[in-house]
Amino acid sequence: MLKAMIRIQWRACWHLVIALAVAAMALPIVSVRAGWSGAQGNLPRFLTELQLWGFFYPGLAAVTALVLGIAIWTSDRRGHHVYALLLPLPRWRYVLLRYLAGLALLLPVVLGLWAGAIIATTGLALPPGIRVFPHAIALKFLLALLVLFGVAFAAASASSRTLGIGFRLVGLFLAVHIAVVLLKPGTNLLWTVVSALGSSPWPLAPMAGRWMLIDV
Amino acid sequence: MSRSALRSGLLILLALPGALAAQSARTWQDSTAKLAAELRALRDSMLEGDSTIEEVARRGDLTISASQHLRAEAAEALEKLVAARTRWFGGATPSPSGFRIVLEPGNASPEREAEPGLVVLSGAPDSGHAPRARRVIRSREFGVGLVDQFGEMMYQSGGARLLRWLELAPPLSMPDHERRHLAMYTVMTGTGSAQRECVAGRLDDCAYVLGLGPPTRGEPGGAYPPFLRADLLLATLELGGPGAWERLRAASTDSLDAVLSAAAGIPFDSVLARWRDGIFAFRPTDRLIEVPRVLFAVGWTGVLLLAALAGGLSRWT
């Protein structure tokens, strides 16, 4: 059953998966090649540039999670869930199969990034003290992707009513944030919440920290 | 003017060089220094003619006084200074005559001017010959200003050779983690050949790039920036523990490596090796991700999956 589900989802989203995998593979290679020519003479600059490129990793994880999380449920939404209701399956099992098939679609993206990181760092004549982290960055990307995909999948699988309540709550929070900023300019509720969610043990913690493919 | 008056004036002018030569240059120098010190003391007392200035706190030979509205900040700043002084310099003072630091609050914000007032830190005996300094700084940064100014005064007293080598007063108020992290990046990303050899573990090259030894190769490349010398000095004082600064000052006429060795209480090579090890300890770990983070991420994934299952159960009902 899982195989069938993966096949269905692959047929629906293969072009997205391929595009994201290529982007994931290209990211580490481009980030290193872009600054490597001048690195021997100016290592701090190269590492600073690499750190800036590092912001693209969580960005790519977020885009991947969002795109695939939504794409997985598109066919069900379009068909008003008739297909799911026709299957001789409990609903929870159907959702679980969708989730596991979604995870399978994430794999090419993670493998693409891992391969790209290894290719980017192989053969570089690095001075002593400078190290490469292709495996660690791939693992960090996988963790970030897992959590973000969980968020996107849970949101996409929720009913329109639940989503509506969620959007209203987010809107209300933003309104309060703007009001607070206007009344007391030094206070930033949005940043406080985002920072809290990005620190351990909260869900966005895997996105935080340094995303360095090459570091000291 | 009569002719006789002109003649007597001319005679005085002719006699003056002889009288001047009679005074030795040393006497002139001493009296000039004395006058300058008295002038500084007079200027301080005039500038500090604020009737609300009162003693706020006293710690050993240090006394802090402040205008009425700055007393809380002054007391806090003194505590910071006492902690920093004890850590880096033991009980040493910049001069046997004491010292004095005057802080004046700078603009609190671009829109609002700071309320006038003063904070005065005196190190006993604070005589007219004591070194003095004045800083304009935001009142919430009094602690930082006091610590940095005190540090500058101390380095001035560490001998001309040390001062020339340092170029930059070590940033005492900078948090340890920040300082060592910056030092680590500066060391690890140096591109000169001697700098790379220092990273690889050659202490002779470390001595060269820190301005403490001769070059060991034909084209050694540049030295490390002054910030690293400041970091080395602070690491040395830390290694030497209580009494390190007194030992450093006592050895100030020796070569710089001997000065650092005396302060740390260990051979110079060991000082360099320990400093380098300390720098290496600040490198990011091989594991960019710690196990607890992995476990939390997996846990959150499970929670989100449960949420999705719950949503999936209810969505078609």
Side-chain angles (χ1 to χ4, degrees), chain B:
Chain B
M1 193 180 286
S2 69
R3 188 174 286 237
S4 63
L6 272 173
R7 195 177 297 131
S8 57
L10 195 64
L11 281 171
I12 290 168
L13 278 174
L14 286 170
L16 256 179
L20 285 173
Q23 296 195 35
S24 72
R26 181 79 185 163
T27 318
W28 273 103
Q29 194 183 0
D30 286 351
S31 62
T32 310
K34 195 177 168 192
L35 271 173
E38 279 170 10
L39 188 66
R40 276 203 304 271
L42 182 67
R43 184 171 166 270
D44 284 354
S45 64
M46 284 171 74
L47 285 170
E48 286 146 31
D50 178 347
S51 59
T52 67
I53 291 184
E54 268 180 27
E55 183 178 318
V56 175
R58 189 184 283 253
R59 296 277 180 281
D61 59 342
L62 302 177
T63 308
I64 199 154
S65 314
S67 305
Q68 197 163 19
H69 65 285
L70 296 171
R71 283 176 194 162
E73 290 91 341
E76 201 180 313
L78 179 67
E79 293 309 320
K80 273 190 187 158
L81 176 68
V82 168
R85 183 199 190 194
T86 311
R87 181 178 175 199
W88 301 111
F89 305 108
T93 48
S95 148
S97 316
F99 68 96
R100 178 178 283 211
I101 299 172
V102 179
L103 299 178
E104 193 182 330
N107 283 359
S109 67
E111 301 84 35
R112 196 164 67 87
E113 280 202 3
E115 208 176 327
L118 286 178
V119 169
V120 183
L121 175 82
S122 314
D126 189 21
S127 70
H129 297 280
R132 277 141 207 275
R134 191 178 185 92
R135 270 195 182 199
V136 178
I137 194 163
R138 287 181 184 188
S139 55
R140 64 166 180 265
E141 290 165 3
F142 276 168
V144 170
L146 219 48
V147 169
D148 282 341
Q149 188 56 58
F150 180 77
E152 270 182 36
M153 285 178 154
M154 290 304 288
Y155 299 124
Q156 296 286 339
S157 73
R161 189 176 291 162
L162 181 77
L163 210 57
R164 240 188 343 264
W165 171 70
L166 270 177
E167 287 184 40
L168 181 83
L172 289 188
S173 59
M174 195 174 188
D176 276 6
H177 186 269
E178 269 179 39
R179 173 173 59 83
R180 303 249 65 197
H181 204 258
L182 181 59
M184 183 271 294
Y185 260 93
T186 313
V187 168
M188 304 308 274
T189 56
T191 47
S193 68
Q195 290 174 347
R196 296 314 320 163
E197 288 301 320
C198 175
V199 173
R202 283 197 49 157
L203 294 181
D204 287 350
D205 284 300
C206 290
Y208 166 70
V209 288
L210 287 163
L212 293 166
T216 57
R217 60 197 67 246
E219 286 183 9
Y224 282 139
F227 178 78
L228 282 181
R229 281 174 247 159
D231 181 66
L232 173 65
L233 179 69
L234 292 182
T236 305
L237 292 176
E238 191 115 71
L239 272 174
W245 181 258
E246 276 87 356
R247 290 198 299 275
L248 180 142
R249 208 141 62 172
S252 61
T253 50
D254 299 343
S255 62
L256 278 169
D257 52 345
V259 168
L260 294 178
S261 172
I266 52 176
F268 178 60
D269 275 2
S270 305
V271 175
L272 283 181
R274 298 276 285 275
W275 171 77
R276 188 181 160 279
D277 291 348
I279 292 279
F280 269 64
F282 266 80
R283 293 173 89 190
T285 57
D286 283 323
R287 290 173 291 125
L288 282 185
I289 301 174
E290 299 94 20
V291 176
R293 282 204 170 199
V294 176
L295 294 178
F296 280 126
V298 172
W300 277 109
T301 306
V303 170
L304 291 164
L305 175 60
L306 285 176
L309 289 175
L313 286 177
S314 64
R315 68 175 298 131
W316 306 305
T317 56

Side-chain angles (χ1 to χ4, degrees), chain A residues 168-179:
Chain A
R168 270 182 220 123
L169 284 175
V170 171
L172 182 66
F173 173 73
L174 288 176
V176 171
H177 164 73
I178 291 166

